[in-house]
Amino acid sequence: MKFVKYLFVSLFLAVGMTANAQATYTAADGTEYQFKKHAFLNLEGGVQETLGEAKFSDLLSPNVQLGLGYQFSPVFGMRLQANGWQSKGGFNKEANVTYKYKYVAPGLDFMFNLSNLFCGWNPKRVFNLTAFLGGGANIGFENDEANDLSKQFDFRYLWDGNQILPFGRGGLEASFRLSDAVRFIIEANANITTDKYNSKKADNPDWYFNALAGFRINLGKGYTKVEPVIVPEPEPEPVKVVEEKPVVKPEPKPVKVEPMRRDVFFTINSTVVVETEEAKVRDIVDYLNKYPKAKVNVTGYADAGTGNDRINDRLAAGRADVVYKLLTEKYNIPADRITKDSKGARVQPFAENDLNRVTICIAE
């Protein structure tokens, strides 16, 4: 069936989206959240509508669904699900004849979080929209009503006992955050199977549609939290005033000053300078204090392996800004001694991708 081809295509798409998805989020207060793989449980109930020769309201049936899944990345997840309860068929639309039968349909869904794909991952986002595509086996049973009607109507694909048919499905899931562990979900899915599902021959596939609501429960933490590092202001040392007699010193000979370079590295999707990297900023401050005429060039970069130009331009500029503010606001370096720039991910100073999450400082 064609839907099998779509499943393989969706797998390749999932690999690509997972590779490019940002897995780190930085809040306004500087707190950093890093995505963590986790399992989840879906519990849903609702109503089913089957296509058939009867009134819309007469083909509605109760429906439940249980799903157990795993979120591999902010974008891509998979779930094993079992959907079932009851389906209805219609025969002879003028007489509005209907009959019901039971089924259970276990299957596998590939899930793609569209909100995280297009807007970036945010563990505190209230609304997420997810698309899914999957398939499995539809197991039908208790087809007694159709067998009784076969005495009056011609059922070409009449079945008794149990029957197992392949099915494909696709749909959308809208979820609303209630807490870190629980989301309220609304799902709509369309299911396609062979013409033999409802016992009638129509020379086209049979369809049924489910509208469901319920809850998603995360079986484990969906992120790790990294608190911002706050470096206390150093207390100024008391200055001793010593009166000295003026000494006539000879004119000093000009000394050639060697330039200094320090590379301040950052974690993915972050503009926070950790304590070990701030020590490099203090090296630049010591150099500028030692050579009052020296100036420093501060240039921010982002790695080309993740994100896009919009995200990477923001990250590179933010990394240059945070070093600039440390120099001017914390260490009192005059702004006219600092040149600030950012290159986004268009320039990669290092061959190794992760090293390009950096601000390069050159003082001379």
Side-chain angles (χ1 to χ4, degrees), residues 125-194:
R125 182 180 289 119
V126 174
F127 174 78
N128 277 328
L129 182 65
T130 298
F132 57 87
L133 187 69
N138 185 297
I139 305 168
F141 55 96
E142 293 188 15
N143 196 32
D144 301 334
E145 292 188 6
N147 281 278
D148 292 340
L149 288 171
S150 65
K151 300 172 184 178
Q152 306 173 45
F153 302 102
D154 184 13
F155 287 86
R156 300 289 183 87
Y157 289 141
L158 186 67
W159 52 274
D160 194 7
N162 299 330
Q163 73 164 355
I164 302 176
L165 301 173
F167 77 93
R169 61 185 274 161
L172 293 172
E173 176 193 276
S175 69
F176 302 86
R177 180 179 180 273
L178 302 180
S179 69
D180 283 346
V182 181
R183 299 186 75 92
F184 175 70
I185 56 177
I186 299 173
E187 177 179 326
N189 60 62
N191 301 261
I192 182 173
T193 184
T194 74

Side-chain angles (χ1 to χ4, degrees), residues 176-306:
F176 302 86
R177 180 179 180 273
L178 302 180
S179 69
D180 283 346
V182 181
R183 299 186 75 92
F184 175 70
I185 56 177
I186 299 173
E187 177 179 326
N189 60 62
N191 301 261
I192 182 173
T193 184
T194 74
D195 192 23
K196 297 182 180 181
Y197 182 59
N198 61 6
S199 299
K200 300 186 307 177
K201 182 177 181 180
D203 295 323
N204 54 260
D206 288 338
W207 289 84
Y208 58 91
F209 306 89
N210 298 322
L212 303 162
F215 296 94
R216 169 183 284 200
I217 303 170
N218 287 338
L219 305 178
K221 198 76 171 178
Y223 62 83
T224 55
K225 186 176 179 181
V226 181
E227 298 289 348
V229 177
I230 301 175
V231 180
E233 292 283 347
E235 294 184 3
E237 296 181 359
V239 178
K240 295 181 179 180
V241 180
V242 179
E243 293 185 3
E244 296 182 356
K245 296 180 179 180
V247 178
V248 179
K249 296 182 179 181
E251 289 289 331
K253 295 181 179 180
V255 179
K256 184 179 179 181
V257 179
E258 293 294 330
M260 171 184 282
R261 169 173 169 166
R262 289 293 184 268
D263 300 332
V264 181
F265 294 101
F266 297 80
T267 59
I268 185 171
N269 199 34
S270 175
T271 59
V272 177
V273 178
V274 299
E275 186 174 2
T276 55
E277 297 302 304
E278 187 171 347
K280 301 176 182 178
V281 178
R282 291 196 292 271
D283 289 345
I284 295 294
V285 172
D286 293 341
Y287 182 97
L288 294 174
N289 289 333
K290 183 178 180 180
Y291 303 108
K293 293 184 179 181
K295 296 185 178 182
V296 61
N297 180 269
V298 176
T299 306
Y301 298 84
D303 69 287
T306 57

